[in-house]
């Protein structure tokens, strides 16, 4: 099978980790071809826009994109590129796996949690933002809908079924946010009845944070609203060693964008020591999405084998003495057997 995907190398360390990732994908012989497009500061310098229409057109054409980290300049007039992409393509499901890997600097072992975050509604729509003339009162509307809540909860349950997961936990704050969070919780309860084979649990967000730290093994799939999902998915990444091992999948009905969750790390750009794992794991999720599940599993196993057997080849952030290239070379070796 041949498939063309859009590729956004990104800013900072983005081009380095993207080059490494594509080298590994080529070694997997996935039949992928790449249509390279720009976004972020690279695009701004070339085209005067952070997100050119031509880039949106290419993503829309191929319906799948692999994206490196992007930089949105700080200051008035600049909207988050990631938020813009999610809204433009209605990428309503943000899926963030947190899985333990050997040799990482983490406090836990055997973590395997998937956070499914609603990606388009809630506090991040930032509707009705106002600041009083005296600067004393700031307001913003958080809006959840039954449609948005329904599709994200159903996505989480379908994902649990597809991946053989046993439990879905709906995280909320309905005891205080009785309308916005209450709507989400009521929808979750309704949909859970359609999946009797999956254990359903509901948990208030603050208790969830405590339980994740105390007994993370009790969680399997977490589904929640936008702001809570943003926070909890980073907390889960911390359980397994940080954002260097955190892929992010942004899924809609007509397009999907797979990315490294971490930032562009300009302080280490060009030094050749950036960890490509987050983008590689995102690429593995992309292969699953493209119905190349065996290839995705092969990639994850090669990463795990490298981190177990080739410690000298891995990057310094996870305890090695290697470089981005040596890490990728070792993974390619394991891919090829």
């Amino acid at each position: 099978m041949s498939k063309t995907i859009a590729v956004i190398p990104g800013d900072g360390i983005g081009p380095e980790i993207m080059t490494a990732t594509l080298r590994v994908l080529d070694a997997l012989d996935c039949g992928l071809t790449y249509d390279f497009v720009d976004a972020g500061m690279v695009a701004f310098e070339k085209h005067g826009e952070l997100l050119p229409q031509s880039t949106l057109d290419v993503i829309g054409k191929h319906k799948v994109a692999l994206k490196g980290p992007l930089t949105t300049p700080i200051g008035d007039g600049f909207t988050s590129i990631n938020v813009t992409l999610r809204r433009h393509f209605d990428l309503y499901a943000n899926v963030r796996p947190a899985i333990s890997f050997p040799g990482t600097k983490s406090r836990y072992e055997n973590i395997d949690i998937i956070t499914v975050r609603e990606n388009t509604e809630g506090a991040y729509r930032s509707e009705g933002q106002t600041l009083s003339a005296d600067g004393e009162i700031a307001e913003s509307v958080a809006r959840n809908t039954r449609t948005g809540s329904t599709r994200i909860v159903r996505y989480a349950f379908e994902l649990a079924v597809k991946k053989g997961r046993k439990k879905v936990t709906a995280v909320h704050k309905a005891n205080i946010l009785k309308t916005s969070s209450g709507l989400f919780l009521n929808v979750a309860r309704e949909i859970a009845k359609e999946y009797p084979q999956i254990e359903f649990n509901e948990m208030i967000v603050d208790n969830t944070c405590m339980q994740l730290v105390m007994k993370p093994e009790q969680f399997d799939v977490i589904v929640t609203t936008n702001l809570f999902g943003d926070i909890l998915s980073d907390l889960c990444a911390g359980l397994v060693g940080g954002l260097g091992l955190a892929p992010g999948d942004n899924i809609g009905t007509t397009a999907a964008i797979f990315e490294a969750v971490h930032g562009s790390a300009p302080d280490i750009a060009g030094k050749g020591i950036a960890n490509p794992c987050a983008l590689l794991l995102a690429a593995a999720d992309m292969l699953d999405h493209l119905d190349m599940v065996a290839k995705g599993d092969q990639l994850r196993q090669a990463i795990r084998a490298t981190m177990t057997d080739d410690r000298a080849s891995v990057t310094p952030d996870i305890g090695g003495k290697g470089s981005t290239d040596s890490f990728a070379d070792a993974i390619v070796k394991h891919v090829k057997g």
Side-chain angles (χ1 to χ4, degrees):
M1 185 186 82
S2 178
K3 169 67 179 175
T4 300
I5 64 168
V7 173
I8 305 172
D11 300 315
I13 61 171
E16 299 167 60
I17 62 174
M18 184 63 76
T19 297
T21 296
L22 297 184
R23 186 145 50 90
V24 174
L25 284 175
D26 290 342
L28 276 165
D29 194 23
C30 299
L32 295 175
T33 55
Y34 312 120
D35 197 345
F36 291 91
V37 289
D38 294 322
M41 289 306 298
V42 170
F44 192 75
E45 290 165 5
K46 285 185 182 179
H47 313 289
E49 299 178 86
L50 291 171
L51 188 57
Q53 182 61 46
S54 58
T55 294
L56 295 173
D57 292 342
V58 168
I59 297 171
K61 175 183 177 182
H62 300 308
K63 303 186 186 308
V64 174
L66 185 63
K67 181 178 79 64
L70 300 176
T71 301
T72 299
I74 297 172
D76 294 338
F78 294 106
T79 302
S80 166
I81 306 166
N82 289 331
V83 170
T84 301
L85 285 168
R86 291 165 189 166
R87 290 183 181 175
H88 182 85
F89 293 106
D90 194 23
L91 305 175
Y92 68 89
N94 181 221
V95 182
R96 293 272 302 271
I99 303 171
S100 295
F101 281 87
T104 56
K105 300 172 184 176
S106 59
R107 297 178 182 272
Y108 301 93
E109 297 178 354
N110 302 317
I111 300 293
D112 189 354
I113 302 169
I114 301 175
T115 301
V116 180
R117 164 195 175 193
E118 203 292 317
N119 217 15
T120 60
E121 296 189 338
Y124 281 30
R125 285 199 67 86
S126 298
E127 294 177 315
Q129 289 200 75
T130 61
L131 180 65
S132 63
D134 60 5
E136 293 295 320
I137 301 173
E139 293 183 355
S140 179
V141 175
R143 186 189 303 275
N144 292 332
T145 67
R146 179 169 292 275
T147 297
S149 298
T150 297
R151 65 180 181 176
I152 195 62
V153 173
R154 192 175 300 285
Y155 186 95
F157 274 96
E158 288 293 327
L159 183 69
V161 171
K162 183 178 180 180
K163 291 188 172 292
R165 299 289 184 142
K166 307 297 184 185
K167 181 179 181 181
V168 171
T169 300
V171 176
H172 66 94
K173 192 65 177 176
N175 56 322
I176 303 296
L177 306 174
K178 296 184 182 295
T179 56
S180 57
S181 202
L183 173 62
F184 170 80
L185 179 58
N186 288 335
V187 168
R189 288 170 174 170
E190 292 167 8
I191 291 177
K193 296 174 183 176
E194 301 175 24
Y195 298 86
Q197 74 276 34
I198 304 294
E199 180 185 352
F200 174 66
N201 185 35
E202 55 190 61
M203 192 174 291
I204 296 172
V205 63
D206 38 338
N207 184 39
T208 304
C209 292
M210 181 179 71
Q211 295 294 333
L212 278 166
V213 173
M214 293 179 67
K215 293 179 61 180
E217 67 276 6
Q218 70 185 285
F219 295 95
D220 193 353
V221 175
I222 293 171
V223 62
T224 190
T225 48
N226 204 335
L227 176 60
F228 296 160
D230 193 6
I231 296 166
L232 290 175
S233 57
D234 272 23
L235 194 161
C236 290
L239 300 178
V240 300
L243 292 179
L245 296 167
D249 313 337
N250 300 278
I251 311 294
T253 54
T254 60
I257 298 177
F258 300 84
E259 63 184 350
V261 173
H262 59 69
S264 57
D267 56 319
I268 61 168
K271 295 182 179 180
I273 58 171
N275 181 355
C277 273
L279 192 58
L280 282 162
L281 291 168
D285 290 350
M286 179 187 71
L287 294 175
D288 291 348
H289 179 77
L290 292 170
D291 293 324
M292 291 187 265
V293 176
K295 294 287 188 183
D297 288 342
Q298 186 181 355
L299 174 50
R300 295 184 191 94
Q301 290 164 8
I303 294 169
R304 187 170 296 277
T306 300
M307 294 177 71
T308 302
D309 302 332
D310 293 299
R311 295 298 305 166
S313 299
V314 307
T315 46
D317 63 301
I318 49 176
K321 297 181 180 179
S323 63
T324 307
D325 287 340
S326 69
F327 203 165
D329 289 342
I331 294 171
V332 167
K333 181 183 71 174
H334 285 285
V335 161
K336 293 185 173 181

